[in-house]
Amino acid sequence: MFDIKEELKKLPDKPGVYIMHDKQDAIIYVGKAVNLKNRVRHYFQPGRKVTAKIERMISQIDHFEYIVTDSEVEALVLENNLIKEHEPKYNTMLKDDKTYPYIKATLYEKYPRLIYSRQQKKDKCKYFGPFTSPGAAKDTLELAHKIYKIRTCRRVLPRDEGKERACLNYHIGQCDAPCQGYISEEDYNENFKKAIKLIEGDYKEVIDYLKEKMMKASEDLAFEEAAGYRDLIESVKKMAVSQKITDFAGVDRDIIAVARTNDEAVAQVFFVREGKLIGRDHFHLNGTSGESAEDIQQAFIKQFYAGTPFIPREVMVEYNMTDIKLIEEWMSKRRGSKVSIIVPRKGKKEKLVELAHKNAALVLTRDMDKIKREEERTTGAMKEICSWLGLNNVTRVESYDISNINGFQSVGSMVVFENGKPKKSDYRKFKIKTVKGPDDYASMHEVLSRRLKHGLLERDKLASENLTDEVGSFTRFPDLIMMDGGKGQVHIAEQVIGELGLNIPVCGMVKDDSHRTRGLYFNDREIPVKVNSEGFRLMTRIQDEVHRFAIEYHRSLRSKEQVKSVLDDIPGIGEKRRKALMKNFKSLEAVRDASVEELAGVESMNEKAAVSVYNFFHK
């Protein structure tokens, strides 16, 4: 039994992270503290001054835990990681999990390349970006390749020079073929330096270079070639217009502002790279009800820069923050040099922050209806189902289905919906091991028993290793199980739950004689539902998804079984050769269409075995 008063006495006077749990052991809030004792005690003191949102959170705390860190910066990092992993109900959460593209220059190569990349790694390459849209990065990359004829192949040069023929890019005039030695290393690298200038935004030199080429082609009466240069010039000019010059003297800077309503907030970020405004993006946040604009801004900055590999030298924001010095220290460590967070109060910098705020407000207004519709079909629909059942605080729903053909290759599927949305990372498949023949009830008993027992074992293991903040694949149990079926399936689930000493509500999604959903079976009675409601539509989506997942798994197993049985019927073909054939040809049809020579060329095959396979399909 967790005694909050006693546990409060044990809190240390050290920095760290505290984790609040409800009665179902779900993590509902994660926070950091300079002093754990003072911070956590504050939540339980009479006369405490907290927001209405935090007051609701406190009323749901059943127990808490904490992790001591060596510094407040470490606590901030750990807080970010735990919030991202557990998505606590009462933390302000960044909804969007976006990644941005980069252009990667492989400077370690003698003939370096320019590559589109979704990651920025600590390697010998130089990265340009992040670009705020994949299109912008790809357009820039395409221009650099076209104008300066940078190679795109993966050949190791000069080691592989002349080993293979030049690729198509050489023949269409988009590569100088260093793989054939047609351009010297010095000339190639000179072109590469110019391509880097283009990526960095030095458009004047590029345009002058192209104009010179265009005039030379015109003088030589090569008008088609001149037209090609003219088109490239227009493309470069178009790109130059999209990257508006600012007055920041080459500084990398992000400009951040937040607009909010009572329940929603949007953060707008302007990206300035090397003094140029290269783009902007917006991010929705939830769980902002009752939070101040300053706290929303601070939560966004911590989560955003924990998830992006690029840290600018300067961040301009609307509001001062309680943790501003701590966040600067943390970002400086991530960047490897000093990062400043400033709150401009006058001049052009303030105007830019105001502009970011106006953009955030426009996005919020534009998206409000969309957000409202999405909430109605997800969390709103889940609340509606709960109201029919008389349940509260249902976040996670699991649903199960069995698929077989006359008992052949029986399988079970488990799908998970959280807050009315599918959580595909938690889906699971089960091969039925103990049931022979088409017995759906016994199969469902096995599936549910395996799922819940596995979860209990994982919980025990984590507890024994003092890793209670970790979450295994089965550790988190559902708030509600929705069975695809009526009384029989519900009673099977309730039997398993009772055998394991658990308390999880179970309802069945009942269908009529035409196989259409008509209601819910719960607590030994059928509850009618409104067929034109969002709750009903969510029920049908859950049913459709659990069916799809089970059938796809069963179909894949049937396909493997059929391939196995066909190839195993061929004289001289055992498991090793069967696997080699399928690895090489990928499908049964490709094996059937292969020649004797192609079959004999497969690893572990010989001519006799190849003839045997060929004759099996063609005689």
Side-chain angles (χ1 to χ4, degrees):
M1 186 71 179
F2 190 91
D3 188 328
I4 288 180
K5 287 185 178 179
E6 287 301 315
E7 294 300 324
L8 287 173
K9 295 175 184 176
K10 300 175 185 175
L11 287 163
D13 294 310
K14 292 184 178 180
V17 171
Y18 55 93
I19 305 158
M20 304 300 194
H21 293 257
D22 64 12
K23 289 180 180 178
Q24 285 74 44
D25 201 36
I27 294 174
I28 58 174
Y29 189 77
V30 174
K32 65 159 186 62
V34 183
N35 185 306
L36 283 166
K37 178 180 283 189
N38 294 342
R39 183 63 180 151
V40 178
R41 276 182 168 181
H42 174 72
Y43 288 106
F44 302 97
Q45 288 174 348
R48 58 184 174 257
K49 291 183 180 180
V50 295
T51 64
K53 171 184 164 184
I54 296 300
E55 196 65 61
R56 288 195 301 273
M57 183 273 291
I58 294 169
S59 70
Q60 295 179 31
I61 296 173
D62 178 73
H63 58 283
F64 63 81
E65 57 184 313
Y66 56 87
I67 301 169
V68 174
T69 59
D70 288 333
S71 67
E72 197 179 354
V73 172
E74 282 187 21
L76 185 146
V77 173
L78 181 57
E79 177 196 35
N80 273 331
N81 292 340
L82 291 174
I83 289 173
K84 185 172 183 179
E85 181 178 355
H86 298 291
E87 299 182 1
K89 180 179 179 180
Y90 288 100
N91 282 95
T92 296
M93 284 296 303
L94 178 59
K95 289 184 183 180
D96 312 82
D97 190 16
K98 300 177 182 177
T99 59
Y100 295 99
Y102 295 81
I103 291 177
K104 171 179 167 181
T106 59
L107 301 181
Y108 62 91
E109 295 180 306
K110 286 187 178 294
Y111 294 86
R113 296 169 293 147
L114 295 170
I115 302 169
Y116 178 88
S117 175
R118 275 284 179 182
Q119 293 179 312
Q120 185 183 30
K121 299 179 180 178
K122 291 184 178 179
D123 52 22
K124 297 177 182 178
C125 300
K126 183 174 182 180
Y127 290 83
F128 300 91
F131 291 81
T132 54
S133 77
K138 288 174 181 176
D139 289 346
T140 304
L141 201 55
E142 184 180 357
L143 270 177
H145 282 135
K146 276 185 178 179
I147 295 169
Y148 295 109
K149 301 181 181 180
I150 305 303
R151 73 184 182 104
T152 59
C153 67
R154 296 183 179 181
R155 299 176 194 180
V156 179
L157 300 178
R159 187 196 71 186
D160 296 339
E161 186 178 308
K163 288 186 178 180
E164 298 179 42
R165 290 179 295 178
C167 68
L168 179 63
N169 283 348
Y170 167 71
H171 295 290
I172 62 174
Q174 289 193 13
C175 180
D176 285 326
C179 62
Q180 305 300 313
Y182 295 164
I183 181 172
S184 69
E185 184 181 338
E186 292 75 17
D187 289 344
Y188 180 91
N189 278 282
E190 189 60 37
N191 286 341
F192 190 81
K193 287 176 185 176
K194 291 176 181 176
I196 293 295
K197 285 188 176 182
L198 169 63
I199 293 169
E200 290 175 336
D202 188 350
Y203 301 115
K204 185 179 183 305
E205 182 173 329
V206 177
I207 291 171
D208 290 345
Y209 168 78
L210 291 173
K211 280 182 178 177
E212 184 182 326
K213 290 275 190 180
M214 181 178 69
M215 296 305 296
K216 178 71 167 60
S218 296
E219 289 168 5
D220 294 342
L221 305 181
F223 299 117
E224 189 174 338
E225 185 180 346
Y229 286 121
R230 179 201 63 204
D231 293 342
L232 286 173
I233 290 169
E234 289 305 312
S235 297
V236 174
K237 284 181 177 178
K238 185 178 177 182
M239 185 178 295
V241 169
S242 70
Q243 295 190 352
K244 301 175 182 64
I245 302 297
T246 60
D247 297 328
F248 295 141
V251 172
D252 288 339
R253 169 186 280 122
D254 287 349
I255 302 160
I256 296 174
V258 175
R260 58 173 305 192
T261 63
N262 289 335
D263 301 316
E264 293 291 334
V266 167
Q268 180 83 35
V269 184
F270 286 171
F271 301 98
V272 176
R273 299 294 177 263
E274 297 188 358
K276 299 173 182 66
L277 180 62
I278 66 167
R280 64 185 182 186
D281 208 346
H282 66 271
F283 304 82
H284 288 278
L285 299 104
N286 58 12
T288 59
S289 177
E291 296 284 346
S292 67
E294 292 87 344
D295 287 342
I296 294 170
Q297 175 187 280
Q298 181 165 286
F300 169 73
I301 287 172
K302 289 194 289 187
Q303 292 179 50
F304 178 67
Y305 290 111
T308 180
F310 183 84
I311 307 292
R313 197 176 87 188
E314 187 175 286
V315 178
M316 293 193 327
V317 297
E318 287 183 280
Y319 309 105
N320 213 329
M321 298 174 290
T322 54
D323 286 343
I324 193 165
K325 293 299 180 186
L326 177 66
I327 295 171
E328 282 181 334
E329 183 185 348
W330 165 62
M331 290 177 67
S332 297
K333 283 185 177 179
R334 288 206 64 211
R335 177 180 168 86
S337 60
K338 182 171 174 54
V339 174
S340 300
I341 300 175
I342 63 171
V343 186
R345 296 302 183 199
K346 60 182 180 179
K348 291 182 179 179
K349 293 180 178 180
E350 184 190 23
K351 296 291 184 188
L352 275 168
V353 174
E354 286 179 6
L355 182 62
H357 182 93
K358 287 177 183 176
N359 276 268
L362 285 170
V363 170
L364 190 58
T365 303
R366 184 195 71 198
D367 288 356
M368 277 302 292
D369 288 341
K370 179 181 173 184
I371 292 167
K372 188 176 179 182
R373 287 195 302 271
E374 178 65 13
E375 285 186 345
E376 284 174 353
R377 70 185 293 275
T378 54
T379 54
M382 197 65 251
K383 286 177 182 176
E384 192 168 23
I385 292 172
C386 290
S387 70
W388 297 334
L389 301 174
L391 299 174
N392 294 311
N393 300 320
V394 172
T395 300
R396 181 185 176 96
V397 170
E398 292 181 5
S399 188
Y400 298 83
D401 191 25
I402 302 296
S403 181
N404 62 66
I405 298 177
N406 294 325
F408 172 74
Q409 285 282 27
S410 288
V411 299
S413 67
M414 163 185 149
V415 301
V416 179
F417 278 62
E418 285 194 356
N419 296 312
K421 298 177 184 177
K423 189 177 183 183
K424 296 192 175 183
S425 61
D426 283 7
Y427 285 17
R428 292 294 181 269
K429 305 169 184 174
F430 302 84
K431 270 188 184 180
I432 304 302
K433 299 176 179 178
T434 62
V435 181
K436 302 298 181 185
D439 188 337
D440 284 358
Y441 286 168
S443 298
M444 186 59 73
H445 189 284
E446 179 190 322
V447 167
L448 285 166
S449 297
R450 284 166 57 189
R451 183 268 179 267
L452 296 172
K453 284 179 181 177
H454 195 156
L456 290 170
L457 286 171
E458 281 192 355
R459 285 186 175 187
D460 290 343
K461 182 180 178 184
L462 292 172
S464 67
E465 296 173 359
N466 201 23
L467 297 171
T468 51
D469 59 309
E470 299 285 338
V471 176
S473 59
F474 280 131
T475 307
R476 186 153 176 226
F477 285 170
D479 303 311
L480 172 67
I481 292 177
M482 298 184 74
M483 303 299 295
D484 183 36
K487 182 177 181 180
Q489 292 283 16
V490 170
H491 284 176
I492 288 294
E494 289 175 338
Q495 180 186 337
V496 173
I497 289 166
E499 289 169 355
L500 297 174
L502 298 171
N503 181 22
I504 302 171
V506 183
C507 72
M509 296 177 283
V510 185
K511 294 178 180 174
D512 60 21
D513 294 337
S514 301
H515 213 64
R516 291 177 300 203
T517 305
R518 72 177 186 221
L520 291 167
Y521 183 83
F522 185 62
N523 286 344
D524 291 324
R525 67 187 182 92
E526 188 172 319
I527 301 169
V529 299
K530 297 176 183 177
V531 295
N532 60 348
S533 66
E534 289 295 346
F536 177 80
R537 294 186 186 100
L538 177 57
M539 283 169 52
T540 57
R541 287 199 296 276
I542 292 171
Q543 283 181 307
D544 291 344
E545 183 68 353
V546 74
H547 278 310
R548 177 198 67 78
F549 195 52
I551 290 168
E552 283 185 1
Y553 182 42
H554 189 253
R555 187 181 294 132
S556 72
L557 291 181
R558 289 205 319 268
S559 175
K560 289 176 184 176
E561 185 69 21
Q562 288 162 1
V563 169
K564 177 180 183 298
S565 61
V566 169
L567 294 181
D568 283 354
D569 285 341
I570 304 173
I573 302 300
E575 182 180 0
K576 186 176 179 181
R577 283 175 173 167
R578 171 172 57 80
K579 287 181 177 178
L581 286 167
M582 290 309 300
K583 183 178 179 181
N584 189 77
F585 292 105
K586 308 300 182 188
S587 71
L588 196 59
E589 289 75 14
V591 175
R592 180 194 63 203
D593 296 339
S595 66
V596 172
E597 290 76 14
E598 289 171 330
L599 292 166
V602 175
E603 183 184 356
S604 81
M605 292 286 286
N606 55 33
E607 187 174 351
K608 183 180 178 181
V611 170
S612 181
V613 172
Y614 185 86
N615 288 341
F616 180 85
F617 285 110
H618 295 87
K619 287 189 177 181

